[in-house]
Amino acid sequence: MSTIWECGLYMSSGTFLVAEDSGALVGCVYIETRGNRSYLGLLSVQPESQGAGLGRRLVAAAENFGRESGSQIMDLRIISARQEQLSPFYQRLGYCLIRTEPFPANSVIKIPSHFILLSKSLI
Ligand SMILES: CC(C)(COP(=O)(O)OP(=O)(O)OC[C@H]1O[C@@H](n2cnc3c(N)ncnc32)[C@H](O)[C@@H]1OP(=O)(O)O)[C@@H](O)C(=O)NCCC(=O)NCCS
C-alpha cells in the first residue's frame, strides 16, 4: 500500500501531494486553493502502478486538502486531445463537464486542441 505525503513549498502558488511506495515516488497531484474553489492538476501515477486505485486515492487526497482549506468546489482541466482517455476517469470520480476554453493565443500546439473544464462539489 502506497503512502501519500504532503510536500508544501515547492511552488509558491500551490502544493504537491506525492505518493511513495517503498522509498520510490509512484504518483503525484498538484492542488491550488483559490478561495472557495480549488484547482487540481498534474495528476500522475507511474505506469507500473496504474490501475490499482492510486489515481483515485490521490484525487481523494487532493479533494480533502481542498475541503480542509475551505473550498467548496474542485476544478480541473484536461486537453481535448486526451478527452477520450481522461473524461471517463474523472467522470467516474464524480466530475462534471462544465465548459470548453481555448488555449492561450500564443500557445504552440501540434494538433488543434482546447481545454475542457470539469468540476466537482466538495460539500
Ligand atoms: C489517469 C491516471 C492518473 C489514473 O490513475 P490510476 O491509478 O491508473 O487510476 P485508478 O486505478 O485509481 O482508477 C480509478 C478509477 O478510474 C477507472 N479508470 C482508470 N483509468 C480509466 C480510463 N482511462 N477510462 C475509464 N476509467 C478509468 C478505474 O477503473 C477506477 O474505477 P473503479 O475504482 O471504479 O474501479 C493514470 O492513468 C496516469 O497517470 N496517466 C498518465 C498521466 C495523465 O494522463 N494524467 C492526467 C492529467 S489531467
Side-chain angles (χ1 to χ4, degrees):
M1 174 67 74
S2 309
T3 309
I4 298 177
W5 301 99
E6 181 181 324
C7 297
L9 303 178
Y10 273 97
M11 298 176 68
S12 56
S13 55
T15 300
F16 279 101
L17 305 179
V18 298
E20 173 261 324
D21 191 0
S22 306
L25 182 64
V26 291
C28 74
V29 64
Y30 172 77
I31 178 164
E32 192 177 314
T33 301
R34 302 169 179 167
N36 69 342
R37 304 183 82 100
S38 282
Y39 171 77
L40 179 158
L42 302 173
L43 174 67
S44 186
V45 172
Q46 75 159 2
E48 298 78 12
S49 303
Q50 289 177 10
L54 184 54
R56 180 188 279 277
R57 287 183 61 212
L58 281 162
V59 171
E63 290 169 356
N64 282 337
F65 188 96
R67 236 175 251 116
E68 286 166 9
S69 305
S71 291
Q72 298 176 328
I73 296 170
M74 181 67 81
D75 297 313
L76 62 87
R77 58 189 190 182
I78 60 177
I79 59 169
S80 56
R82 301 223 42 225
Q83 180 175 14
E84 212 173 299
Q85 295 90 22
L86 293 174
S87 194
F89 169 74
Y90 284 117
Q91 286 181 16
R92 209 172 172 88
L93 301 189
Y95 286 81
C96 297
L97 202 147
I98 301 298
R99 64 177 183 273
T100 61
E101 271 183 6
F103 279 179
N106 57 353
S107 302
V108 179
I109 52 174
K110 291 182 180 167
I111 51 170
S113 299
H114 55 269
F115 288 122
I116 298 169
L117 274 70
L118 298 109
S119 294
K120 176 180 175 177
S121 170
L122 297 179
I123 52 177

